[in-house]
């Protein structure tokens, strides 16, 4: 269970590049520097405000369900960043991006914790976090190359497509059973 879950999470990390690419797109949509910072603060505020309620929902409906919904929101945001350029839609997308983060960041680690022996929990999360960091660095490099060669819309579209495929992958995993 751990290998299947972490494999999917790491594949997702290979497409989940640095948020700087989203902010570059915001800048290209015509926001000035202060508004770009404001959008990022807004995203972090939404993430912080919704992390606790999403944790409660995950405890009630299941970690897998909330994580998959969050991943779907991620795909929507990245597709939206390829399509929409209005400042209003950018704020809507960053609101949704904050929801995505609140539905996946802590939930993924809780999911790992639930399927790992208690004596191996720190090792399991530490291993995942280390590999996730490397994957994110690779994702940022790949996104930068795609952006440079084919444009931002292609980079965001490929990321959205990969997230949709991973929604299907995670949906196929059995429901997590706590050890």
């Amino acid at each position: 269970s751990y290998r299947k879950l972490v494999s999917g999470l790491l594949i997702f990390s290979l497409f989940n590049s640095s948020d700087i690419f989203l902010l570059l797109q915001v800048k290209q949509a015509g926001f000035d520097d202060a508004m770009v910072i404001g959008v990022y603060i807004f995203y972090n505020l939404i993430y912080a405000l919704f992390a606790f309620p999403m944790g409660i929902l995950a405890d009630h409906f299941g970690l897998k369900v909330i994580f998959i919904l969050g991943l779907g929101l991620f795909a929507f945001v990245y597709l939206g960043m390829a399509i929409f350029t209005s400042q209003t839609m950018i704020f809507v997308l960053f609101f949704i991006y904050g929801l995505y983060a609140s539905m996946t960041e802590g939930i993924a680690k809780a999911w790992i914790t639930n399927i790992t022996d208690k004596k191996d929990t720190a090792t399991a999360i530490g291993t995942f976090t280390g590999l996730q960091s490397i994957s994110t660095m690779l994702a940022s490099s790949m996104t930068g190359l795609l952006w440079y060669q084919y444009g931002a819309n292609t980079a965001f579209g490929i990321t959205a497509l990969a997230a949709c495929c991973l929604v299907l992958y995670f949906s196929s995993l059995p429901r997590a059973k706590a050890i």
Side-chain angles (χ1 to χ4, degrees):
S1 295
Y2 174 78
R3 285 188 192 131
K4 288 179 182 177
L5 174 61
V6 170
S7 294
L9 293 172
L10 291 176
I11 291 169
F12 174 61
S13 294
L14 284 172
F15 290 93
N16 187 8
S17 60
S18 169
D19 291 342
I20 194 67
F21 291 103
L22 295 171
L23 298 175
L24 285 170
Q25 188 73 340
V26 169
K27 183 73 173 164
Q28 288 185 357
F31 283 64
D32 63 23
D33 291 344
M35 286 300 291
V36 171
I37 293 168
V39 166
Y40 198 63
I41 291 169
F42 175 69
Y43 148 74
N44 278 287
L45 178 65
I46 298 304
Y47 174 21
L49 289 173
F50 283 90
F52 178 69
M54 291 303 171
I56 292 171
L57 289 174
D59 287 339
H60 184 70
F61 293 107
L63 300 170
K64 177 181 167 180
V65 170
I66 299 303
F67 182 85
I68 290 170
L69 290 172
L71 198 56
L73 292 179
F74 176 89
F76 179 79
V77 168
Y78 271 75
L79 184 61
M81 292 300 282
I83 296 171
F84 302 113
T85 58
S86 79
Q87 293 187 351
T88 302
M89 278 308 298
I90 297 289
F91 270 99
V92 169
L93 290 171
F94 269 82
F95 177 87
I96 295 169
Y97 195 60
L99 291 177
Y100 138 76
S102 69
M103 296 170 84
T104 58
E105 299 283 333
I107 305 294
K109 289 182 177 99
W111 195 352
I112 290 170
T113 300
N114 282 356
I115 62 172
T116 307
D117 285 328
K118 296 255 185 261
K119 67 179 182 58
D120 297 326
T121 302
T123 302
I125 291 176
T127 301
F128 165 67
T129 303
L131 293 173
Q132 180 186 36
S133 296
I134 293 166
S135 296
T136 301
M137 182 182 66
L138 292 171
S140 296
S141 298
M142 289 187 304
T143 301
L145 286 171
L146 285 170
W147 187 306
Y148 180 75
Q149 290 292 323
Y150 304 105
N153 293 348
T154 300
F156 289 132
I158 289 172
T159 300
L161 179 62
C164 288
C165 291
L166 284 162
V167 163
L168 297 174
Y169 173 79
F170 284 112
S171 297
S172 74
L173 294 180
R175 188 172 184 135
K177 293 178 184 152
I179 292 179

